Amino acid sequence: MNTSTFNAPVVESPDGFHLGDGHRRVIAWMIYLGFAALAIGIINGLGQALNYARIDILQYFPGMRDYYQGLTVHGVVNAIVFTFAFTNGFLALTTSRALARQLPLAALWVVFGLMVAGFALAGFSIGTGRASVLYTFYSPLQAHWSFYLGLVLLVVSTWVTAGILFVALAGWRRENPGKRIPLMAYISVATYGMWVLASLGIAVSVVGILLPWSLGLVATVDPLLTRTLFWFSGHPIVYFWLLPAYVSWYVMVPRHAGGKLFSDPLTRVVFIMFLLLSIPTGFHHQYTDPGISGGMKAIHAGLTFGVFFPSLVTAFSVMYALEIGGRRRGGSGLVNWFARLDWKNPALVAQLLAMLSFTLGGATGLINASYNLNQAIHNTAWVPGHFHMTVGSAVTMSFFGIAYWLIPYLTRRELVGKGMALLSSWVYFIGVLVMARGLISGGLDGMPRRTLIMEAPYTKEGWELAGLLTGLGGTLMFIGGVLFFAVLAGTVLFGKKTEGEPDIPFTVTHEAPAETGWEVKLDRFRYWIIAAVVLVLIAYGPFFASYLPGAFTSPPYRFF
Amino acid sequence: MNVKKVEMVFLSLCASMLLVFLLALFYSAYGMGMHLPGVEATVDPREVRQTAPFDEPGLREVGEGQYEAVFLGFAWGFQPREITVPAGSEVTFIATATDVIHGFHVEGTRVNFMLIPGQVARQSYTFREPGEHLIICHEFCGAGHHLMYARVIVE
């Protein structure tokens, strides 16, 4: 490695951009809303983890009717409210900063209002026992209409955010003809572009079918069709959870680590690959569904393996950026640079541990995607074992790490309890590994997911140890979460008032984006979106062409 | 160190790894016959109990050491609750749901599919060793989901 790596010019110019107080406030409220949802989710999560250890604390939860009501809360608030609220705020900030443009304040408050209304409606229906349908809401289990309407408002909040970002980018392009889109804005907008396209499945299903059905306007539904539309959005939604963390890993973590991002074009290629390949992969959640041909499932298997590739590229790019940082701090040899990273910086440590857990999450995900091998683990406890190492830690801990600089930045207060923040990350990380070990071994022994195991009349050898580890790990995760919330609340309420950081901590890139050649084409989102639509048509077209108009033969059931 | 070169080597290895995995999977499916459930038949869930073969759920011998096991899943149980087959039998499971979506996992085997109202699922498996397997409903189907199971006994 030569020294020029360290002395390369700052590529993204600071331009003296300052985020106004009004903007800081609205973004802060979005982040608070997200973490408030997560707090509710984590409390329920403790109850679910202890269920596997046959310890019943759910009976002490006020207003809780049964395990499945709590599981619905856990899924909806963690996977939808928390992620959407955090991402709407965070990527609005990164885009605004990268383009050096103030976003329309009123529109940002509309986003916040939609999320509050959606959260309230969904919360009302679930809280009053009218919607214990889990966050996948498979028909013909039927929830109260307010549940579906709440989901609609939450999704619309992401669309309004997307609109704000697209308009900002269009305005920037008008004023900067021929210039390359700043990297941080590029990857933020690409994330929303992917999600807007991906969310159409769930939109058609909820607005077109489930909402009218729950209002009694139509009598019957097609369970396979609504399920397929759910997974049309349901796999790419995991990238909508993950990509904001990737944004941080690409452009912020190198800065925390004292390194820098090596390749501008490769980063853009990675996000374009996610835009192209996230959606035409949904059948890998339906490998075991009758009614979808093996050939279509095989196509989705191939594309799912394809969408694994940009994550491997990310592993290289992020690792290399970290290595630059570690060597600058005196690290040497093959692995010593990793130990030399700044393990006292809570923002960095949370995200380093997030990455470590994500390697296991990725490996187990590849097994899920493995066509007929999926039958060994489908719908067993293995699956929550897998996704707690992805969204439940890689994403969640990354958002913790981001919060450690973002909350002080937004509130102009110093972080309170740095030691506690570091402890939180380690406890949560160890907790998720222990819990995943339990869930994964239980799953391999056939233990089902989404099941009140402690009251099931059947059991098997191996489930007891698996359950104990799940309960123990979940408890540690809960403690890690409580420590995080203590730091968050301490900072917001009691943090010492400061001038505040003038800017957010994002990295420079070793090489500036090229002004000519093939790389310029990466910035033409329009063509990439057309390509993504074509891939979706190839991957889903034959199914819908042969399946539609569908079999609307199922009346509603409310088994809760 | 030439970073770009190292990166290309790393990424080529990654891509090759994914390709090898995928080819192995497709060989196991199309070369060794380990297929996923596919398009079988449809049935109106409102009339499924009057529709063959679901009007008579249960086990029947269809040939030497070959059986068909017709199952219905409903809230909250399976019909039949138990089947018994001799070791070495090839059992073809044919199943659907009468009400909401259920799951069907013969634990310890790769018989694992969804019961979707309106869709018929079908999968064959040879039980070589004597023993007992739980059939677990592994998809949430309402307040009594955890009560829903059956058994395969291999003698």
Side-chain angles (χ1 to χ4, degrees):
Chain A
M1 191 181 311
N2 58 44
T3 51
S4 71
T5 306
F6 306 135
N7 302 324
V10 173
V11 173
E12 305 221 26
S13 87
D15 290 334
F17 176 78
H18 289 284
L19 191 69
D21 277 345
H23 287 83
R24 286 183 196 233
R25 197 171 306 121
V26 67
I27 290 171
W29 276 102
M30 291 189 203
I31 306 294
Y32 297 157
L33 179 69
F35 281 126
L38 181 70
I40 297 168
I42 280 184
I43 292 167
N44 277 283
L46 179 65
Q48 270 109 46
L50 289 176
N51 154 56
Y52 281 101
R54 300 180 179 275
I55 299 168
D56 183 11
I57 61 162
L58 294 165
Q59 55 181 317
Y60 306 114
F61 284 25
M64 182 70 66
R65 287 159 196 239
D66 73 353
Y67 170 79
Y68 302 107
Q69 185 186 21
L71 194 56
T72 307
V73 173
H74 183 71
V76 170
V77 300
N78 283 346
I80 300 178
V81 184
F82 165 53
T83 54
F84 283 12
F86 189 93
T87 300
N88 283 343
F90 178 53
L91 294 190
L93 172 65
T94 53
T95 307
S96 172
R97 171 61 193 87
L99 300 178
R101 292 175 81 87
Q102 301 287 359
L103 303 178
L105 198 53
L108 290 172
W109 281 113
V110 168
V111 170
F112 179 75
L114 283 166
M115 290 192 291
V116 170
F119 188 12
L121 275 171
F124 159 79
S125 59
I126 302 168
T128 56
R130 290 176 166 91
S132 297
V133 293
L134 308 192
Y135 100 100
T136 43
F137 53 90
Y138 294 138
S139 77
L141 273 180
Q142 188 190 59
H144 191 252
W145 59 265
S146 54
F147 175 80
Y148 302 113
L149 187 60
L151 292 182
V152 169
L153 296 182
L154 288 164
V155 171
V156 170
S157 82
T158 63
W159 290 352
V160 175
T161 307
I164 294 170
L165 302 196
F166 297 163
V167 167
L169 180 63
W172 182 90
R173 280 185 145 167
R174 265 196 309 279
E175 289 164 23
N176 299 274
K179 277 202 194 166
R180 297 297 307 277
I181 301 170
L183 182 66
M184 186 163 67
Y186 183 93
I187 59 183
S188 306
V189 170
T191 300
Y192 270 90
M194 182 281 292
W195 170 243
V196 167
L197 188 56
S199 58
L200 294 177
I202 217 171
V204 168
S205 171
V206 173
V207 176
I209 302 174
L210 297 175
L211 194 54
W213 177 61
S214 68
L215 289 165
L217 301 175
V218 291
T220 52
V221 282
D222 179 338
L224 180 59
L225 181 63
T226 52
R227 182 178 163 85
T228 302
L229 289 169
F230 177 85
W231 286 116
F232 180 100
S233 303
H235 191 66
I237 201 176
V238 311
Y239 298 112
F240 188 54
W241 300 333
L242 182 65
L243 292 185
Y246 272 22
V247 167
S248 172
W249 295 3
Y250 269 106
V251 299
M252 282 145 188
V253 164
R255 172 72 170 265
H256 302 317
K260 63 180 64 165
L261 182 60
F262 185 75
S263 175
D264 175 282
L266 203 62
T267 308
R268 291 179 204 245
V269 168
V270 162
F271 278 77
I272 287 297
M273 287 189 78
F274 280 114
L275 172 65
L276 293 175
L277 294 175
S278 292
I279 308 168
T281 55
F283 284 160
H284 79 251
H285 290 259
Q286 296 179 280
Y287 282 148
T288 63
D289 283 17
I292 301 170
S293 74
M296 290 311 300
K297 290 170 179 172
I299 290 171
H300 283 230
L303 289 166
T304 308
F305 273 61
V307 78
F308 198 75
F309 187 71
S311 285
L312 293 168
V313 180
T314 301
F316 185 93
S317 297
V318 174
M319 213 49 109
Y320 184 64
L322 290 173
E323 185 176 342
I324 296 174
R327 292 199 191 281
R328 278 173 110 170
R329 294 171 60 88
S332 57
L334 208 54
V335 288
N336 174 259
W337 57 266
F338 194 71
R340 285 293 183 100
L341 290 168
D342 186 1
W343 290 93
K344 297 260 187 282
N345 176 352
L348 179 62
V349 170
Q351 297 186 74
L352 290 176
L353 298 178
M355 290 168 192
L356 288 178
S357 116
F358 193 59
T359 56
L360 293 168
T364 49
L366 199 61
I367 292 168
N368 298 341
S370 290
Y371 202 62
N372 43 14
L373 187 58
N374 175 273
Q375 286 184 298
I377 45 82
H378 176 75
N379 266 5
T380 68
W382 162 290
V383 178
H386 153 71
F387 66 66
H388 282 88
M389 293 193 291
T390 57
V391 66
S393 54
V395 173
T396 305
M397 292 184 74
S398 292
F399 289 3
F400 286 174
I402 293 165
Y404 291 142
W405 63 259
L406 179 60
I407 298 296
Y409 169 78
L410 293 172
T411 59
R412 300 182 203 272
R413 287 177 185 273
E414 275 179 17
L415 191 72
V416 168
K418 203 173 141 188
M420 200 189 281
L422 290 169
L423 185 65
S424 159
S425 292
W426 282 105
V427 171
Y428 194 95
F429 174 67
I430 293 165
V432 79
L433 293 185
V434 172
M435 186 176 83
R437 164 63 175 77
L439 288 169
I440 278 176
S441 71
L444 291 173
D445 282 329
M447 184 164 75
R449 68 185 286 205
R450 301 183 144 183
T451 301
L452 181 56
I453 284 293
M454 66 183 160
E455 287 182 18
Y458 54 83
T459 186
K460 252 198 81 186
E461 204 187 325
W463 292 9
E464 196 173 343
L465 176 64
L468 283 174
L469 291 172
T470 303
L472 175 65
T475 306
L476 289 172
M477 289 171 79
F478 177 77
I479 294 169
V482 169
L483 292 171
F484 167 76
F485 285 111
V487 172
L488 185 70
T491 302
V492 172
L493 298 174
F494 310 116
K496 193 173 145 212
K497 274 285 194 186
T498 62
E499 284 287 295
E501 291 290 327
D503 202 356
I504 65 175
F506 65 108
T507 186
V508 298
T509 313
H510 179 62
E511 288 173 346
E515 298 294 338
T516 54
W518 66 273
E519 291 179 28
V520 177
K521 295 194 173 61
L522 291 170
D523 286 15
R524 298 195 185 143
F525 277 125
R526 191 170 307 164
Y527 300 112
W528 293 111
I529 288 184
I530 292 169
V533 170
V534 169
L535 268 175
V536 168
L537 290 176
I538 291 170
Y540 273 102
F543 171 77
F544 284 115
S546 63
Y547 188 76
L548 289 176
F552 284 75
T553 49
S554 280
Y557 294 93
R558 294 194 169 194
F559 290 146
F560 43 82
Chain B
M1 185 171 77
N2 185 336
V3 179
K4 284 196 169 161
K5 198 171 160 191
V6 173
E7 186 168 37
M8 285 321 291
V9 171
F10 174 84
L11 294 182
S12 306
L13 285 174
C14 288
S16 314
M17 174 188 82
L18 291 174
L19 202 63
V20 169
F21 286 174
L22 203 58
L23 289 174
L25 288 169
F26 288 156
Y27 176 71
S28 75
Y30 295 97
M32 297 165 71
M34 288 196 261
H35 290 292
L36 288 169
V39 180
E40 196 60 42
T42 57
V43 57
D44 188 328
R46 291 165 297 191
E47 291 159 14
V48 63
R49 285 179 189 278
Q50 289 83 49
T51 311
F54 300 105
D55 51 345
E56 286 181 54
L59 185 75
R60 51 189 147 262
E61 194 167 2
V62 291
E64 181 69 38
Q66 291 186 319
Y67 294 84
E68 267 183 14
V70 176
F71 273 90
L72 276 177
F74 47 86
W76 291 289
F78 291 104
Q79 192 184 352
R81 288 203 59 102
E82 191 176 294
I83 59 169
T84 305
V85 295
S89 307
E90 187 192 33
V91 181
T92 301
F93 294 90
I94 301 168
T96 190
T98 65
D99 40 39
V100 297
I101 293 180
H102 299 278
F104 193 100
H105 183 200
V106 183
E107 53 78 20
T109 77
R110 50 177 290 275
V111 178
N112 186 338
F113 49 77
M114 306 307 297
L115 302 183
I116 299 176
Q119 299 291 334
V120 178
R122 183 188 184 97
Q123 191 176 2
S124 299
Y125 185 80
T126 303
F127 291 91
R128 296 184 198 284
E129 306 286 327
E132 244 186 69
H133 300 269
L134 287 166
I135 301 176
I136 301 168
C137 171
H138 60 28
E139 185 54 83
F140 170 68
C141 55
H145 160 54
H146 50 279
L147 305 174
M148 185 169 167
Y149 74 107
R151 270 182 219 283
V152 179
I153 296 166
V154 186
E155 285 182 332

